[in-house]
Amino acid sequence: MKTLFPNNVVRKWYLVDATGLTLGRVAQGIARKLSGKEKPTYAAHIDGGDYVVVTNIDKIVTTGRKESQKEYHTHSQYMGGLKTTTLAELRTKKPFEPLKLAVAGMLPKNSHRDHMLDRLKQFQGSDHSHEAQTPEILTFSSL
């Protein structure tokens, strides 16, 4: 029996309105769409995911005290070069970064990750520039 591999990848566009959604739960749903794991033609060595457009990125909520307690660390590779930023500070400086980091942590750690993250489009308001692609509205019914 021969193993069948998908020859051509058909990518769909999805639209997520992030108003009132929890950061981790919306990141999990986006990561599954970007990696293409829900498709019957999924293969780990082929990047077959879809495009995801997220609107109202500034209205994503977190539970508990994560705004003040969740920390992001970066290091400059020099002695004493560790910088720590809380989620609230990161949202004011770079409003798109918390969702991008959450989704990136849920994607596979291989050479396809950067290409998958390139297909994540984020917008602060409800308007977006990808209306010509006619994205399907993606709802997370279990939230």
Side-chain angles (χ1 to χ4, degrees), residues 10-27:
V10 178
R11 299 189 195 278
K12 295 174 73 176
W13 284 77
Y14 291 98
L15 176 66
V16 176
D17 184 14
T19 304
L21 296 178
T22 308
L23 175 65
R25 299 213 176 180
V26 74

Side-chain angles (χ1 to χ4, degrees), residues 6-141:
N7 292 336
N8 54 353
V9 177
V10 178
R11 299 189 195 278
K12 295 174 73 176
W13 284 77
Y14 291 98
L15 176 66
V16 176
D17 184 14
T19 304
L21 296 178
T22 308
L23 175 65
R25 299 213 176 180
V26 74
Q28 181 265 338
I30 291 170
R32 290 193 62 83
K33 289 295 180 184
L34 290 176
S35 63
K37 279 199 164 186
E38 296 177 342
K39 293 184 174 185
T41 59
Y42 173 74
H45 66 284
I46 295 174
D47 184 13
D50 298 319
Y51 288 88
V52 179
V53 179
V54 184
T55 58
N56 294 319
I57 202 78
D58 49 345
K59 296 178 183 168
I60 289 181
V61 297
T62 55
T63 57
R65 294 183 287 177
K66 290 185 184 79
E67 289 288 328
S68 60
Q69 289 183 345
K70 183 169 179 60
E71 296 179 337
Y72 296 92
H73 304 287
T74 58
H75 203 287
S76 66
Q77 302 300 319
Y78 287 101
M79 297 283 287
L82 179 67
K83 292 185 180 178
T84 303
T85 308
T86 63
L87 177 61
E89 293 169 356
L90 188 65
R91 277 189 175 192
T92 57
K93 292 179 186 176
K94 301 177 182 177
F96 302 120
E97 202 68 18
L99 182 63
K100 182 180 176 184
L101 289 173
V103 170
M106 297 177 188
L107 290 175
K109 279 67 173 177
N110 57 21
S111 59
H112 296 303
R113 180 199 278 186
D114 290 336
H115 300 292
M116 291 178 191
L117 282 175
D118 287 341
R119 289 195 307 271
L120 174 64
K121 315 294 183 186
Q122 301 181 46
F123 297 94
Q124 279 192 338
S126 60
D127 299 330
H128 61 89
S129 60
H130 299 285
E131 293 170 356
Q133 285 77 21
T134 61
E136 291 182 26
I137 297 176
L138 182 64
T139 58
F140 300 106
S141 59

